[in-house]
Amino acid sequence: MFENNVTRRGFVTGAAAVAGLAGLSTIAPGLAGAAPQTHDQHTEAEMATEAGALAMMTFQKIDGTPVYYWRSNRGNTTARNWQCTDAFYNALVAWIRDLRSLSSSYGSISYIVSAGFYVNKPGQHGAGTAMDLDHVRWSGGNTISPLDQAHASTNAAIRKRYLATEAVCRRRFRYVLDGWYNADHHDHIHSDFGGMPVRVLKDSESDTKFVQAVCNNFRGSGLVIDGIWGTNTQNAFNGLKSALGVTGDPHTSSSVWQSMCSKIATKGFANQNI
């Protein structure tokens, strides 16, 4: 199932580890519905600490695509060992295959850059079920760089590409926090397993801000990006959904929401309005 640069490492330290090793749970107990951590900048020391509570696997690539670390050395292409759970790695494989498919006009994905997966701290990172995405580079020369605050770029095409990349994340991960969400996420896109399954919820600040940003950047809706799903946001969302030809309820159906995210991503990577 996994490429040859991936290894598994089990750390049995109590009931949670036993459950993880037995395949009884893909998400750490108590984290399935947990809210994401709002501050998730990670130090080298945190990422170097051994994972202790769950069975973790170690990888340097996701489905063959290298994953680099630039926080201490911009442009570094030294192979790095990352850790996450088996289940989260499977989701990462599905995610990067989605990204390849939906951005195929850019060429293959040369590499991605991350600020962390498993990190020795509470929350989804500590459970090995989170990713912080800093940068993506395609073989055709295109890039998207949350690390450089691409969400706030003066170039509309770059903002659309950022939202397209985020939309692909939202196909596979429930909690996705971006540069509009808060200042702690101005330089990366955080994705994790909390609150699965995927869908868009009106009472989610993160989901609402994403919808508001999409409506503004693809349709010129002029919404205040405040995370409040009011009448204006509902009307803009209805227009977005109709323009994309989405049927069904993305608030309750994962497949409908995933389809909607795919259509947003396709438009974003093509630099097209909706």
Side-chain angles (χ1 to χ4, degrees), residues 2-204:
F2 301 105
E3 65 215 73
N4 59 15
N5 69 310
V6 174
T7 60
R8 288 179 178 76
R9 301 166 68 183
F11 303 94
V12 183
T13 58
V18 173
L21 288 168
L24 299 178
S25 175
T26 59
I27 304 175
L31 283 174
Q37 299 294 308
T38 57
H39 182 73
D40 58 358
Q41 296 299 297
H42 316 308
T43 66
E44 290 274 3
E46 286 175 326
M47 288 189 287
T49 303
E50 292 287 331
L54 291 174
M56 295 283 174
M57 57 175 291
T58 300
F59 63 96
Q60 295 179 345
K61 300 178 180 180
I62 299 173
D63 197 40
T65 298
V67 185
Y68 300 132
Y69 181 75
W70 283 4
R71 291 291 170 138
S72 57
N73 183 9
R74 177 95 184 209
N76 179 39
T77 56
T78 302
R80 184 185 184 92
N81 288 332
W82 305 94
Q83 291 181 316
C84 69
T85 65
D86 282 1
F88 195 74
Y89 184 80
N90 287 340
L92 290 171
V93 169
W95 163 75
I96 205 161
R97 290 178 180 178
D98 287 348
L99 186 59
R100 289 172 185 150
S101 175
L102 291 164
S103 64
S104 60
S105 63
Y106 289 3
S108 60
I109 299 174
S110 302
Y111 59 82
I112 69 170
V113 179
S114 177
F117 296 87
Y118 164 77
V119 180
N120 184 29
K121 63 188 298 182
Q124 295 284 331
H125 278 292
T129 54
M131 168 183 69
D132 286 346
L133 181 65
D134 278 0
H135 188 93
V136 182
R137 181 176 180 85
W138 287 267
S139 62
N142 284 313
T143 64
I144 192 61
S145 189
L147 183 60
D148 295 316
Q149 303 179 44
H151 73 287
S153 173
T154 57
N155 186 320
I158 291 176
R159 296 196 305 274
K160 286 186 176 75
R161 192 181 305 160
Y162 179 101
L163 286 163
T165 304
E166 180 176 352
V168 180
C169 293
R170 288 179 176 274
R171 279 184 46 82
R172 299 295 174 180
F173 306 106
R174 170 67 195 95
Y175 279 128
V176 179
L177 310 180
D178 62 18
W180 287 283
Y181 180 70
N182 65 12
D184 286 336
H185 296 86
H186 73 287
D187 61 357
H188 64 282
I189 297 174
H190 169 98
S191 303
D192 71 44
F193 261 2
M196 294 289 277
V198 296
R199 58 213 187 280
V200 58
L201 300 181
K202 295 181 181 181
D203 61 355
S204 165

Side-chain angles (χ1 to χ4, degrees), residues 254-272:
S254 293
S255 61
V256 172
W257 177 234
Q258 287 177 319
S259 174
M260 189 167 182
C261 286
S262 293
K263 292 181 178 185
I264 292 168
T266 298
K267 291 291 189 179
F269 288 126
N271 188 26
Q272 295 175 348

